[in-house]
Amino acid sequence: MEKRTIWDRIFGKEPKRLTNETQFKFMNGFTPVFSDFGDDPYTSDVVRSAIHAVASNAAKLKPKHIRRKDGKVEHVNADIERFLSVRPNEFMNAYDFIYKIVTQREQFNNAFVYIKRDPATYRVTGFYPVDMSSLELVEAQDTLFVKFQFQNGSRLTAPYEDFVHLRKFYNRNDMFGESNGNALLPTLSLINTTNEGIANAVKSSAFLRGLLKFSNSMLKDEDIKRQRDTFVKDYLDVTNNGGIAALDSKADYQELKSDPKMVDSNQMTTIEEKVYKYFGVNRNIVMSDYTEEQWNAFYENVIEPIAIQLSLEFTSKLFTDKALGYGNEIIFEANRLQYASNTTKVSMIRELTPLGLLSKNEGREIFNLSPIEGGDEFIQTLNVVNADKADKYQVGEDDTSKGGENNDEEEQPSDGGEEGTT
């Protein structure tokens, strides 16, 4: 029985082969090739903790398929949203999926997601993060293609439009985010040197160092070495449970003090903060010891830009121009109030619910409570009124004319026609 690999399940048996391909030309003269630099910063515990803080919180974002129509936002409960919000592919759930692509974005400043479609219907059937070692952009048949090289030697060639591409530190290169190498590795090298210094200092402090001075100057070199070995055996051997050695008047032991220099805690903290600053986090975020204000700053400066990037890129790559014209979008949203204090939550619900801005279930979600039946309805206090009707409300007039006819023209629902496909 023939075994199918994960590669076969995702990309099929044979990768696409191009004819008459030419290397894609960048305007700034850069070579259209991206590869990971040799030293992997993700092996550093400081880098990994910083990236984890970003990826684990970004993975809480909720993908949603919406359609903007006639000034209103309509929720579209279609296959794409179910894929992105539950299980993008058969190997990972939605949290793992977002965590992985955000981790790749932070680690490599480039992340690629393959959009798998049914060849017959062109409908999306899955999303797969691409763990490549290098890639090259080429042109063929007036189409831009991506040629991936993987760690196991396999290759994949597919149109660039079939991939969601997330970038960070996107500056000089026309297509790729810049490498972390030159900017981050000097700091990581300093951290590594510091850690090695601490380890060596601990080791050196565990050894006894000194000189044996013999009063008899006529001893031969062999005798001196023999006396030294005897002292080491008696004093430093693990079987000497008492830890005491005896010397007669012929020898005198002089201890050599070892004073290894280590980086103090303040200096070590400063070095680690350079890494945290590079990834836009701080020690409080990494240690989950943040205040409400610190979380809001972290969300606005780190998580929200990722949410915007995800929304724009998935929207652009998933919908045709016709579907985009009908207002289809993919958005990634987060309930920021989950991280607010209970005082802020209560105040928010008390102020917004009477204005009809929050439903009961939205208020319950803020406190991580399950939805209830009928909780999606909005309630509003009678103390507020439509601004256009405030004057009539104040003097007690109704909205009808003397003839009893309604002066306000009802807007008939327009025929939206076909709303586009993915």
Side-chain angles (χ1 to χ4, degrees):
M1 179 178 178
E2 183 182 3
K3 295 183 178 179
R4 294 189 65 197
T5 64
I6 293 179
W7 177 278
D8 297 333
R9 292 172 63 91
I10 300 174
F11 303 116
K13 287 289 184 181
E14 295 291 336
K16 182 187 292 293
R17 287 184 172 85
L18 302 179
T19 57
N20 300 324
E21 67 179 59
T22 59
Q23 196 175 62
F24 188 66
K25 302 296 183 182
F26 286 170
M27 293 186 297
N28 53 18
F30 276 75
T31 302
V33 176
F34 171 80
S35 60
D36 304 335
F37 62 91
D39 295 322
D40 185 4
Y42 198 63
T43 58
S44 166
D45 63 327
V46 182
V47 171
R48 186 170 297 199
S49 62
I51 292 179
H52 174 73
V54 176
S56 60
N57 285 288
K60 300 174 186 177
L61 294 170
K62 297 181 179 179
K64 182 179 291 186
H65 181 185
I66 64 171
R67 185 177 294 126
R68 301 184 187 275
K69 182 178 179 181
D70 299 331
K72 299 179 180 180
V73 177
E74 174 187 349
H75 179 208
V76 182
N77 187 17
D79 291 341
I80 290 180
E81 180 177 317
R82 286 195 291 272
F83 279 130
L84 289 175
S85 61
V86 180
R87 200 163 192 86
N89 59 68
E90 61 266 43
F91 307 113
M92 59 188 68
N93 56 44
Y95 178 92
D96 294 337
F97 172 76
I98 299 178
Y99 182 97
K100 187 176 183 68
I101 61 177
V102 173
T103 296
Q104 291 179 339
R105 174 187 181 271
E106 298 298 309
Q107 182 179 357
F108 306 119
N109 297 330
N110 290 276
F112 288 86
V113 178
Y114 175 64
I115 306 172
K116 186 178 181 181
R117 301 179 187 269
D118 186 308
T121 63
Y122 202 63
R123 298 188 68 85
V124 175
T125 59
F127 300 91
Y128 298 86
V130 181
D131 293 315
M132 81 314 185
S133 59
S134 65
L135 66 87
E136 180 183 6
L137 295 177
V138 297
E139 285 183 301
Q141 296 89 47
D142 295 328
T143 302
L144 181 61
F145 287 85
V146 189
K147 298 177 67 175
F148 289 101
Q149 173 77 45
F150 296 88
Q151 295 287 350
N152 61 359
S154 300
R155 296 178 179 271
L156 168 67
T157 301
Y160 179 76
E161 64 182 15
D162 288 346
F163 296 90
V164 169
H165 183 191
L166 305 179
R167 295 172 281 209
K168 185 182 177 183
F169 296 130
Y170 180 44
N171 182 20
R172 294 180 298 174
N173 198 302
D174 289 336
M175 294 296 293
F176 306 124
E178 297 187 26
S179 168
N180 289 324
N182 294 333
L184 191 57
L185 284 183
T187 302
L188 297 183
S189 178
L190 181 59
I191 292 177
N192 182 63
T193 302
T194 302
N195 291 335
E196 289 182 350
I198 294 174
N200 291 331
V202 173
K203 291 178 181 179
S204 63
S205 63
F207 291 98
L208 179 64
R209 299 178 184 274
L211 295 174
L212 278 177
K213 183 179 181 181
F214 297 96
S215 58
N216 188 352
S217 60
M218 300 302 292
L219 288 176
K220 298 180 180 180
D221 291 342
E222 294 80 3
D223 295 331
I224 293 176
K225 292 179 180 180
R226 186 171 59 254
Q227 292 285 351
R228 182 202 63 185
D229 294 340
T230 301
F231 177 82
V232 171
K233 178 181 178 181
D234 290 343
Y235 192 76
L236 299 179
D237 193 271
V238 293
T239 60
N240 184 0
N241 296 326
I244 299 175
L247 291 175
D248 57 19
S249 59
K250 293 183 298 183
D252 182 28
Y253 175 74
Q254 297 179 352
E255 182 181 358
L256 297 179
K257 296 292 186 181
S258 178
D259 185 21
K261 302 299 182 183
M262 296 188 298
V263 177
D264 61 37
S265 59
N266 291 333
Q267 291 173 325
M268 194 65 186
T269 299
T270 301
I271 297 173
E272 292 179 351
E273 286 291 345
K274 291 186 65 177
V275 177
Y276 294 148
K277 181 177 67 175
Y278 185 84
F279 289 99
V281 301
N282 59 41
R283 189 173 299 273
N284 298 97
I285 296 296
V286 172
M287 300 298 293
S288 300
D289 188 28
Y290 46 79
T291 64
E292 183 179 339
E293 290 74 19
Q294 289 172 333
W295 162 258
N296 286 331
F298 170 65
Y299 177 86
E300 292 178 0
N301 288 279
V302 179
I303 303 301
E304 190 173 38
I306 293 176
I308 294 174
Q309 188 179 41
L310 288 170
S311 301
L312 292 174
E313 186 67 3
F314 273 90
T315 297
S316 175
K317 295 298 177 65
L318 287 177
F319 299 111
T320 63
D321 290 341
K322 185 175 183 180
L324 291 173
Y326 283 106
N328 286 282
E329 291 183 30
I330 299 294
I331 62 173
F332 288 76
E333 58 184 13
N335 185 355
R336 295 176 59 184
L337 292 179
Q338 289 180 344
Y339 307 96
S341 65
N342 287 334
T343 301
T344 300
K345 292 178 181 179
V346 171
S347 176
M348 187 74 68
I349 294 175
R350 182 188 297 119
E351 297 295 331
L352 297 183
T353 302
L355 299 177
L357 299 179
L358 286 178
S359 66
K360 293 180 180 179
N361 281 339
E362 288 173 333
R364 291 176 63 85
E365 183 182 0
I366 293 175
F367 283 98
N368 293 320
L369 299 175
S370 60
I372 59 176
E373 185 177 354
D376 293 329
E377 297 181 356
F378 290 85
I379 59 175
Q380 181 174 327
T381 178
L382 293 177
N383 294 328
V384 294
V385 66
N386 190 308
D388 295 336
K389 301 180 180 180
D391 291 340
K392 296 180 180 180
Y393 177 82
Q394 188 174 14
V395 298
E397 295 181 3
D398 57 22
D399 292 335
T400 59
S401 62
K402 293 182 181 179
E405 297 178 354
N406 193 339
N407 290 331
D408 295 334
E409 296 182 5
E410 286 191 14
E411 182 180 355
Q412 298 296 327
S414 60
D415 183 10
E418 184 180 356
E419 294 176 328
T421 58
T422 59

